Amino acid sequence: MDKGLQIEQDSFAIIDSATDLSRFNSAEQVIARKLIHTTGDTEFAELTCILSGAIEAGVAALRRGAPIICDVEMVRVGITRRYLQSYGNQVHCFISQPDVLTRAAADNLTRAETAMLYAAERYPDAIFAIGNAPTALLKLLELTATGRMQPAFVAGLPVGFVKAEESKDLLRQTTIPHVTNRGPKGGSPCAATVINGLLVVLNDLLSAE
Amino acid sequence: MDKGLQIEQDSFAIIDSATDLSRFNSAEQVIARKLIHTTGDTEFAELTCILSGAIEAGVAALRRGAPIICDVEMVRVGITRRYLQSYGNQVHCFISQPDVLTRAAADNLTRAETAMLYAAERYPDAIFAIGNAPTALLKLLELTATGRMQPAFVAGLPVGFVKAEESKDLLRQTTIPHVTNRGPKGGSPCAATVINGLLVVLNDLLSAE
């Protein structure tokens, strides 16, 4: 076995012996286990929140080739490209687009907020992966509430002490298919690993068909 | 003030009221505060380990334009490019180089280990930022112990339950100028933020000169 893969499998065995993921179904466990693996933090066993049916919705969207919109470049590069090739999903991050920079300055919005507006105009029913900017998630929620977006799936795990927890609490109150977490923790690797976990679930599903 | 910057400053105020960073000097506090900000995890106030004099060594290396070698792409894209332009530092990640892939398969090493060997042959006295792969840090320590590398500074914060803690414990026993952490936590944002923190300290230093 590939040495990197062996380390991952050993990690998963340690995680399973150290945590109780029994409140999740088997597809949800793939996601929760990957969140703990990515952060080295067993607290994610308790902090992870997955809306019922969200994994199925995310997997179906991936399978039909839905684009994946990331709030920051770290999320974009954290998504494993070699899995995605089979389904034709594009992975985008608009935060450094010249149009976005100009508009953010003109409208006194964060670049992350403006990038969500930009995404809503082009890919309103995409998969979204938000790991850094609470303002991106808050803007997504506003655009969804006003009918300008219908996200197929949201990995919403922005990190930090200002607005991150609040934005994730609001996401949990919606019916948008989502994975999120309680509290200030989170981050780009968390958002990326949720998408990579959906790809694992999809690959398992296709192998079983 | 730029809205993104305002959020960062508010976060730092919350961190300062919630943690005790008094065991660190002022430059070290910049780094510890950024680690807590990046992870949303106040435990980093206790987990962060900074070798005495390490920040000065890292800042001096940055100032002389030393290249920065990252274990994975997520670390590379997490380093703020606009600050670096002033000093001419290159930021490299070799994990997906075709040479590295071929050699890893031939030698039954992880890609991360092979990328460190590749770096040692080209940039033995670089700044290193390791946020993902314990095997990269272990290889760096081996190459340093055998005199094939003399890292100017190491941000060594690989994450996970297999070898990560062990690799960081070994780093702490060396005199390589380093920032690391205790336990399995860590990750790409941690490694990137340590380098970004050095850039903040350097900019403050230059403004004061």
Side-chain angles (χ1 to χ4, degrees), chain B residues 11-200:
Chain B
S11 296
F12 288 167
I14 293 170
I15 291 165
D16 285 342
S17 69
T19 62
D20 176 9
L21 301 178
S22 60
R23 69 187 169 98
F24 297 116
N25 69 31
S26 65
E28 291 167 348
Q29 283 181 14
V30 171
I31 308 295
R33 196 178 288 116
K34 280 183 81 75
L35 279 167
I36 297 165
H37 174 64
T38 293
T39 57
D41 187 348
T42 52
E43 270 192 33
F44 271 87
E46 284 78 49
L47 298 177
T48 300
C49 306
I50 305 179
L51 185 72
S52 176
I55 306 305
E56 290 78 356
V59 164
L62 273 183
R63 193 173 184 171
R64 71 172 177 263
I68 302 166
I69 314 295
C70 307
D71 65 335
V72 292
E73 282 292 316
M74 286 189 79
V75 176
R76 193 179 65 76
V77 303
I79 294 174
T80 309
R81 223 50 56 89
R82 69 174 185 278
Y83 291 151
L84 280 179
Q85 285 163 357
S86 335
Y87 315 110
N89 314 76
Q90 299 285 314
V91 186
H92 298 289
C93 173
F94 298 126
I95 200 160
S96 296
Q97 289 268 349
D99 285 5
V100 167
L101 300 183
T102 312
R103 198 160 150 187
D107 297 349
N108 193 31
L109 295 172
T110 66
R111 290 163 57 201
E113 287 171 315
T114 313
M116 279 296 126
L117 280 166
Y118 188 93
E121 291 159 2
R122 287 159 184 79
Y123 306 102
D125 55 358
I127 295 167
F128 289 83
I130 299 176
N132 188 71
T135 59
L137 181 53
L138 290 169
K139 183 58 76 179
L140 177 148
L141 292 169
E142 175 199 317
L143 291 165
T144 305
T146 56
R148 293 163 69 188
M149 282 174 97
Q150 305 81 33
F153 177 85
V154 175
L157 303 103
V159 62
F161 298 98
V162 175
K163 295 189 185 170
E165 187 163 6
E166 171 194 333
S167 70
K168 292 181 283 191
D169 288 348
L170 289 171
L171 175 59
R172 287 218 312 282
Q173 293 165 29
T174 72
T175 57
I176 302 168
H178 64 262
V179 173
T180 185
N181 69 286
R182 292 192 181 79
K185 293 177 183 178
S188 301
C190 294
T193 213
V194 169
I195 305 299
N196 292 335
L198 292 181
L199 285 161
V200 170

